[in-house]
Amino acid sequence: MGGVTSTWVEPSNTATALLLLGRGSDPSTERGVECPGDLPAPSDPDLVARAAAAKAALGSKVFVLGHHYQRDEVIQFADVTGDSFKLAREAAARPDAEYIVFCGVHFMAESADILTSDAQKVVLPDLAAGCSMADMAVLGQVEAAWDVLTELGIAEQTVPVTYMNSSADIKGFVGRRGGVVCTSSNAKRALDWAFEQGSKVLFLPDQHLGRNTAVLEMGYSLDDCVLYDPHKPNGGLTAEQLRDAKMILWRGHCSVHGRFTLDSVNDVRERVPGVNVLVHPECRHEVVTAADLVGSTEFIIKTIEAAPAGSAWAVGTELNLVRRLALAHPDKQIMFLDRAVCYCSTMNRIDLPHLVWALEELVAGRVVNQITVDPDTARHARAALDQMLALPGADTPPPTAN
């Protein structure tokens, strides 16, 4: 079985201080959403100077990637910002950078390692920066599900499709079986391709993206979709349900986007007359169908940028991005879709102290928290990623809208 490793070094004084501050990495940490009422206070301003100095000392040897959901205190040091796949491609386009520091979560750093050369080292400042959705699809569970499909005689007609937000092991599983990776922007194209290869799709790990794409963009019905629960025998489904299904959806979801409800949409429409509701396709089906516009993170950003002054927008995605958009567009009324202030707790683990520690260790010649995908897993995962890149129109994915 494939796997992913990380390189550990003797903790420095800074690393010890992080642990004492409660900011050390702990793989058993709850990975999901937190609703503290507000974001954590920014780090000590002195750390800004240290981060800038370390980055300057490394020069072209380091390339820092920042996901849109990262804190402002971290994103200011990113050479490129974007969604997970854009950042992985940006890393691959920088072969001269010896170190890729990925300010995001674990599966993103894995993808960067898969797409970069063996000479490059990918660093994740905090190993506990995971993804609750990616954690919901474990290789052993997915292999067991495939065994169920094989016993029913339907595995050969089933094409596995995995969302970018999945582990390297799951991408490798999909690549071994001739499947494809997708993003929230190109999910329809990936599914169109999959249905040209077979009559069924096993969609991993986000049930909502799979359901929303199949029903709202491809004309399938909700009855064509079944939900496979890996914690129940045969996924909690009958043989007839699995044989009849077009979309076999994995029971996984984003802990942040899954918080938004139909009540959230109705409430904001009552409070803010004329508000436009703009949500990510990882949201629940009833939220997506009630929204005005639905699209990827990049689509959300471009929509807000192009919106007229004075317009009001309730955005259903991660809080850091919503707040950044609100600050960047003071001429528009931009708000979080839910009344509760929630952010992705694992994205927020990459704070300025962790970034400073990682950069200063690199300056000292010590590579910390290196993410390495084993060659066999990487080869098959790369095949699934390459298949995505080969999809028609892969360079210009259109957003979806209601």
Side-chain angles (χ1 to χ4, degrees):
M1 184 173 78
V4 179
T5 61
S6 55
T7 302
W8 181 88
V9 299
E10 185 69 25
S12 65
N13 291 336
T14 306
T16 303
L18 287 171
L19 289 170
L20 294 174
L21 287 169
R23 289 173 167 168
S25 66
D26 177 8
S28 65
T29 298
E30 174 68 20
R31 297 184 174 191
V33 63
E34 290 182 1
C35 300
D38 205 344
L39 285 171
S43 302
D44 186 338
D46 291 343
L47 289 174
V48 173
R50 288 174 60 183
K55 194 163 183 284
L58 291 165
S60 60
K61 292 174 64 177
V62 70
F63 190 63
V64 180
L65 302 170
H67 192 272
H68 287 306
Y69 297 169
Q70 290 291 295
R71 308 176 187 213
D72 287 344
E73 65 181 41
V74 169
I75 214 77
Q76 65 180 312
F77 292 105
D79 294 302
V80 173
T81 59
D83 60 15
S84 58
F85 186 61
K86 174 186 174 182
L87 294 179
R89 291 184 72 178
E90 288 287 345
R94 300 299 193 284
D96 295 333
E98 184 177 347
Y99 308 117
I100 305 295
V101 177
F102 211 122
C103 297
V105 294
H106 203 273
F107 78 80
M108 299 178 189
E110 288 179 337
S111 295
D113 183 63
I114 291 167
L115 293 172
T116 53
S117 71
D118 293 340
Q120 295 173 287
K121 298 176 176 62
V122 178
V123 171
L124 185 66
D126 187 345
L127 294 180
C131 171
S132 60
M133 181 201 298
D135 291 344
M136 291 176 192
V138 178
L139 181 59
Q141 295 174 333
V142 176
E143 289 176 333
W146 195 258
D147 288 341
V148 170
L149 302 184
T150 301
E151 291 169 5
L152 291 175
I154 59 176
E156 289 187 359
Q157 56 190 284
T158 303
V159 179
V161 177
T162 189
Y163 191 20
M164 190 72 179
N165 300 29
S166 57
S167 69
D169 281 342
I170 298 303
K171 292 185 180 74
F173 170 92
V174 169
R176 286 183 182 92
R177 287 157 184 83
V180 65
V181 176
C182 75
T183 69
S184 56
S185 295
N186 69 8
K188 180 182 183 298
R189 273 194 304 283
L191 288 175
D192 283 338
W193 174 87
F195 279 115
E196 291 173 359
Q197 318 306 311
S199 60
K200 298 177 183 295
V201 164
L202 172 63
F203 194 88
L204 304 156
D206 181 23
Q207 59 169 303
H208 300 306
L209 177 62
R211 183 183 297 106
N212 290 331
T213 305
V215 174
L216 299 180
E217 296 189 63
M218 302 179 69
Y220 289 104
S221 71
L222 290 174
D223 291 336
D224 291 323
C225 307
V226 295
L227 189 61
Y228 191 99
D229 187 339
H231 302 291
K232 295 181 179 179
N234 294 330
L237 300 167
T238 66
E240 182 180 11
Q241 286 175 311
L242 286 167
R243 288 194 180 101
D244 291 344
K246 291 291 187 181
M247 292 284 293
I248 302 172
L249 305 170
W250 195 258
R251 192 178 184 87
H253 65 276
C254 170
S255 299
V256 172
H257 291 103
R259 278 193 53 84
F260 303 117
T261 65
L262 184 57
D263 286 341
S264 303
V265 178
N266 293 334
D267 176 68
V268 78
R269 290 199 191 281
E270 290 178 5
R271 290 187 289 113
V272 187
V275 69
N276 300 281
V277 178
L278 172 60
V279 302
H280 194 280
E282 289 176 20
C283 292
R284 303 180 191 187
H285 186 67
E286 59 268 27
V287 172
V288 168
T289 54
D292 298 301
L293 291 168
V294 184
S296 66
T297 302
E298 296 290 344
F299 172 63
I300 289 173
I301 294 170
K302 291 177 181 177
T303 298
I304 294 296
E305 289 175 345
S311 57
W313 296 85
V315 185
T317 193
E318 210 278 335
L319 179 61
N320 276 316
L321 175 59
V322 178
R323 294 183 70 159
R324 191 172 299 124
L325 288 171
L327 289 172
H329 303 279
D331 60 330
K332 304 160 193 176
Q333 188 179 359
I334 301 170
M335 67 207 76
F336 196 57
L337 177 57
D338 196 12
R339 280 182 180 269
V341 177
C342 298
Y343 62 89
C344 180
S345 58
T346 49
M347 279 282 187
N348 274 273
R349 289 199 67 97
I350 309 295
D351 56 10
L352 198 50
H354 278 97
L355 178 60
V356 168
W357 170 65
L359 292 174
E360 289 182 342
E361 289 294 296
L362 292 177
V363 171
R366 295 184 292 267
V367 180
V368 295
N369 292 2
Q370 182 180 351
I371 302 300
T372 306
V373 180
D374 75 87
D376 184 63
T377 298
R379 178 167 60 89
H380 290 290
R382 179 65 184 260
L385 287 164
D386 285 344
Q387 181 56 63
M388 178 178 72
L389 291 173
L391 294 174
D395 291 331
T396 55
T400 62
N402 286 345

